[in-house]
Structures are given as structure tokens and as C-alpha cells.
Amino acid sequence: MGSYPRVLIGTDGSVDSAIAVDVGSTIAARLGVPVSILTVWTGDDNVPGSRDYEWAKSVTDNAEELVTGRGVSDVTGEQLSGKPEEELLRVATEQPETLLVVGGRGLTKASSRVSGSVSNRLSHHSPADVLFAQGPLRESGARVGLTTDGSVTSRLAVRRGLELALALGATPHVVTVAKDQGEGERLMGASLGELGIDVPDVTPERDILIGVLPAKALIDAASNYDIMVIGNRSMSGPSRLLGSIANKVTHGVEGNLLLVNTSSE
């Protein structure tokens, strides 16, 4: 199976982004890939105390030390000038094959979504997969929830999440929502059959959630997993305003969420 060739970590030195540094460095160490620390400064070099280049350099230096301490040997820091949401989106656009890790607490705050937080902007526009970090990963016994509705795009998200779960040494759980157990068994069987998962000694757990509101069922179950994985279908354009499940889950899960870009499928 393949892997992300690099992990990008966005940080501004805040408590929220410190979680992103912790999670991102853990993933990079397990994958054995390099890390780029990205800090965006928007202030004036001539104004003491502003978010200037020196501030950004200090933030990236501190993050680099933490990432190196996690066992990542190839770590670089970049200080970018501009608006954080625009600069991180630009880097993600230039490197769509990478994994971008940022703090995710702003996703669940209505005020942040309205004002256009960095995490909100990335959730709707990033061509790279984004992991919104809200808590540390367990060193052992971790569980990764791979959500599927049987569609082609959700199968891509499951495969991508499975790769990450295997790298982390976590137990993969294929998760689906159905109105009853019978429907769930049929959907799960079809989904796993189409996935064609063929990994020696790996048999994903099957989690069937019963509910008529898929988004709510997934949000309620998210605490059972160290990372929940979902495809970004209908995260952009008018469909997200009409009640996209991915959109509701992304803005409702209060835990680590990997949003996989399936828009090209």
C-alpha cells in the first residue's frame, strides 16, 4: 500500500496547533516520511510584538524541536507571509499528495465558521487530505473509523484511511449507518466486497450504526475512534448548503477527523 510522501503541519504556537504538531509528528514518524512545519505571519516587522517573521521563526523552531523529538529525522520549517487560510491552501494546492495537519477546534464553533476560520476554509477547499487534530493519538490500542456508504468516493476514503491505520498500528473499523441491522449487513458486505481489501493478517472490524440520521449517528460514534475518516463529497458548492453528510460530520465531530479529498473521483 502507498503512503503520504510528506506531512505538512500548520501551527501558530497556540494550544490548538500544538495538538496538530503532536498528532502530525506521530503520524510522520510511523509513516517514516519528512515533515514541513508551516507558520504564517501577518504583522509588521517594524511593530514590536506583532506577528512578524521573527515570531514565525520562533514558532517553527519550537515545533521542529518537538517533531524531531518524536523521531522524525527530516524536518523543515517555513515562514510564510500572508493570510493563514490563503497560504496554507496555496501549499496544499501545490502539494495535493501530502497530508496536511491542522488544529480542528474551530470547525465545531459556529462563530469560527461564519468568520471563516483557517480549518473551515481548508475543509471546503483543500485539494490535499486534511487531518483536523483535536486530541493526542494513543501509542497502543488505537482505533481508526473508516466511514462508508458504499459509494465509489467513500471506498477511496476507506482505502486511504486503512493505509494510515496500518502505519499507526491501529485497529481499522469499517463504519456504516443503516436503518436496521439487516440493511447494515447487506451494505457492509457489499462495501467490503467492492473494496477488495487484501492485506495479510488484517481483518477490519465491522461497525454498523443504526439510525435514520447518518450524520448524527457518525458524530455520536466518533468518540469510539482515535481518528474518524470520511470523504469530502459535497463539501463544496451548493450541495453542502443542502445538508451534506460529510459537511455535518466535519463540523460536528469533536475528535480527530481525516477528511479525504475524493472530489476527483
Side-chain angles (χ1 to χ4, degrees), residues 91-176:
V91 175
T93 302
E94 293 173 350
Q95 303 181 51
E97 73 286 357
T98 60
L99 173 64
L100 174 59
V101 183
V102 296
R105 295 188 187 278
L107 283 174
T108 57
K109 297 178 180 178
S111 59
S112 296
R113 298 200 297 272
V114 172
S115 61
S117 72
V118 174
S119 54
N120 182 54
R121 179 74 178 275
L122 291 171
S123 73
H124 294 294
H125 300 288
S126 174
D129 295 356
V130 185
L131 194 152
F132 300 99
Q134 297 199 51
L137 299 176
R138 288 182 288 176
E139 293 187 5
S140 62
R143 297 153 52 102
V144 175
L146 313 171
T147 65
T148 179
D149 60 5
S151 65
V152 173
T153 53
S154 70
R155 293 198 293 270
L156 174 63
V158 168
R159 290 193 185 95
R160 192 69 54 80
L162 178 62
E163 294 171 4
L164 182 59
L166 295 176
L168 292 173
T171 301
H173 290 247
V174 179
V175 185
T176 194

Side-chain angles (χ1 to χ4, degrees), residues 6 33-36 67 72-76:
R6 177 178 294 272
V33 299
V35 167
S36 293
V67 174
V72 181
S73 59
D74 188 348
V75 186
T76 56

Side-chain angles (χ1 to χ4, degrees), residues 73-257:
S73 59
D74 188 348
V75 186
T76 56
E78 295 184 48
Q79 298 79 40
L80 311 171
S81 177
K83 295 181 178 180
E85 63 273 18
E86 293 180 358
E87 287 302 302
L88 291 180
L89 185 58
R90 177 183 61 78
V91 175
T93 302
E94 293 173 350
Q95 303 181 51
E97 73 286 357
T98 60
L99 173 64
L100 174 59
V101 183
V102 296
R105 295 188 187 278
L107 283 174
T108 57
K109 297 178 180 178
S111 59
S112 296
R113 298 200 297 272
V114 172
S115 61
S117 72
V118 174
S119 54
N120 182 54
R121 179 74 178 275
L122 291 171
S123 73
H124 294 294
H125 300 288
S126 174
D129 295 356
V130 185
L131 194 152
F132 300 99
Q134 297 199 51
L137 299 176
R138 288 182 288 176
E139 293 187 5
S140 62
R143 297 153 52 102
V144 175
L146 313 171
T147 65
T148 179
D149 60 5
S151 65
V152 173
T153 53
S154 70
R155 293 198 293 270
L156 174 63
V158 168
R159 290 193 185 95
R160 192 69 54 80
L162 178 62
E163 294 171 4
L164 182 59
L166 295 176
L168 292 173
T171 301
H173 290 247
V174 179
V175 185
T176 194
V177 182
K179 63 183 180 181
D180 56 47
Q181 190 68 23
E183 180 187 65
E185 292 288 354
R186 290 191 296 273
L187 179 58
M188 183 68 74
S191 297
L192 290 174
E194 289 289 337
L195 281 167
I197 294 175
D198 183 18
V199 182
D201 303 321
V202 174
T203 302
E205 298 289 335
R206 301 182 177 201
D207 294 353
I208 298 173
L209 310 179
I210 306 303
V212 295
L213 300 174
K216 183 179 186 304
L218 291 172
I219 292 170
D220 291 344
S223 60
N224 295 327
Y225 311 104
D226 294 78
I227 300 175
M228 177 169 274
V229 181
I230 192 168
N232 72 343
R233 185 176 63 176
S234 301
M235 282 293 291
S236 61
S239 56
R240 73 181 174 94
L241 302 177
L242 299 176
S244 156
I245 292 175
N247 187 51
K248 290 179 179 179
V249 171
T250 299
H251 291 298
V253 168
E254 295 184 350
N256 298 319
L257 179 79

